[in-house]
Amino acid sequence: MELTHIGFNDKVKEAFEKIAKVNQIIGRISLEHKRIYRVWTVYGELLCEVSGKLAYGAQSREEYPAVGDWVILTPRSAEAKGTITNILPRKSKFSRKVAGNNTEEQIVAANVDTIFLVNSLNEDLNIRRLERYVTLTWESGASPVIVLTKADLAADLSEKLRVVESVALGIPVITISVVNNTGLDQLKTYLHPGKTVALLGSSGVGKSTLTNYLCGYEKQEVQEIRDTDAKGRHTTTNREMVLLPNNAILIDTPGMRELQLWNSEEGISNSFSEIEELAASCKFRDCQHEKEMGCAVKLAIEQGELEEERLQSYKKLLRELAFLERRQDKKAKSDEKKKWKSTTKQFRKR
């Protein structure tokens, strides 16, 4: 496999050469399933696992490889297998809090240049959910592009576009229909050889149909959405990297029902920049944008320049982020306590 086709460049090469040992090679994670990894290398695709040392030193999920990661590995090319020893620094990563009550990070995709935030123009279009995706994308370090699918099914297309654009400040919005073959050429302006694009969105929004179109063949099974609620069924089951015919790289991901924030302070600032700009003009620096005198945010709402729902969404995400930070701080203290207990126990045994 030609490494430049999968994003290899001088910066990745330099990082590799700093820490690689003799007989080690570089590869890129194309798929992960229960800590078993498919890795693209100069020897083709190898089936790999992490070394004992890497697993022992990993304190969190973040320290394990994710799809899109560049890794250093010791190959066993005759067996089409290898052992991953190092993960190279990531230039970007789309992360969310894992589903459930655990306070852990889940890296959905790494080293991505552009993220297509795919939303369907049917009844399941959810602006508040879109705001979450935009927030996490800005935080990731990749560039967001909003892709609105199934334009052929939208009865009120202009109104839906207006609502989407009201929360997509500075973000390209592309409306497409694979059925009518419209808008698809605009996507190709982001699909350059060696560049990585990730598809993110809920189930049933058309990611698999879009993947099949971009691949030029039926890569993913396509299922119809449910008539009862216009919501989709899961089609893609694993995050997977695919090489497109023009040597652009596509990361397809399963639909995410739950999308909780993870370290998203900067992402919130970027996503809700118009609110933060207005807040800078409030009379009081600690204005909560409730009933305070001289609140520029509330004035904008009264004058029809800002929607109340947008402000409430902003506040909700800030509360969620503050709660997450408290949970992370509590977990960090607990982990540190366990670490010292373990160190003390080992010291006493000597």
Side-chain angles (χ1 to χ4, degrees), residues 175-192:
T175 303
I176 70 169
S177 170
V178 176
V179 173
N180 294 337
N181 196 30
T182 57
L184 296 164
D185 285 342
Q186 295 181 62
L187 299 181
K188 295 178 181 178
T189 61
Y190 300 94
L191 299 169
H192 301 292

Side-chain angles (χ1 to χ4, degrees), residues 201-237:
S202 302
S203 298
V205 297
K207 297 194 303 299
S208 295
T209 300
L210 188 54
T211 297
N212 291 340
Y213 171 82
L214 295 174
C215 288
Y217 62 95
E218 295 295 312
K219 175 71 174 63
Q220 301 287 6
E221 179 186 358
V222 177
Q223 296 186 22
E224 295 296 327
I225 60 173
R226 296 192 297 260
D227 292 331
T228 53
D229 57 7
K231 294 182 182 294
R233 301 180 178 93
H234 288 287
T235 303
T236 305
T237 56

